[in-house]
Amino acid sequence: MPKLKTHSGAKKRFKLTAKGHVKRSHSLANHILTKKSQKRKRKLRKGGLVSKSMEKTIRLMIS
């Protein structure tokens, strides 16, 4: 079976941590920020981890 190509969109959006978990950033933090509260925007700055059910799929896409 041939090698899989890296998914260009996924490679820009996800990174692997040292322990092998998949890091992600929040959406909805780029524009139309005037109607969003400061608290909401502050929470969107922090990253998060991808759920266990999606980890395998995304790891395949970014390798």
Side-chain angles (χ1 to χ4, degrees):
M1 191 169 154
K3 288 183 181 178
L4 290 175
K5 285 194 174 185
T6 301
H7 189 286
S8 298
K11 109 181 136 183
K12 295 168 193 172
R13 287 172 172 84
F14 302 104
K15 300 277 182 258
L16 284 176
T17 63
K19 289 190 174 185
H21 297 296
V22 183
K23 263 190 343 185
R24 66 172 177 83
S25 58
H26 282 102
S27 59
L28 309 174
N30 288 324
H31 64 112
I32 316 176
L33 297 172
T34 50
K35 62 175 80 170
K36 294 170 190 164
S37 68
Q38 284 298 318
K39 180 180 178 181
R40 184 173 164 195
K41 289 188 278 189
R42 193 164 52 245
K43 285 178 182 261
L44 289 175
R45 272 186 232 142
K46 302 227 178 200
L49 294 176
V50 171
S51 65
K52 293 282 183 194
S53 57
M54 289 300 296
E55 246 185 41
K56 186 179 176 184
T57 308
I58 292 169
R59 203 177 281 121
L60 276 172
M61 291 167 84
I62 61 178
S63 62

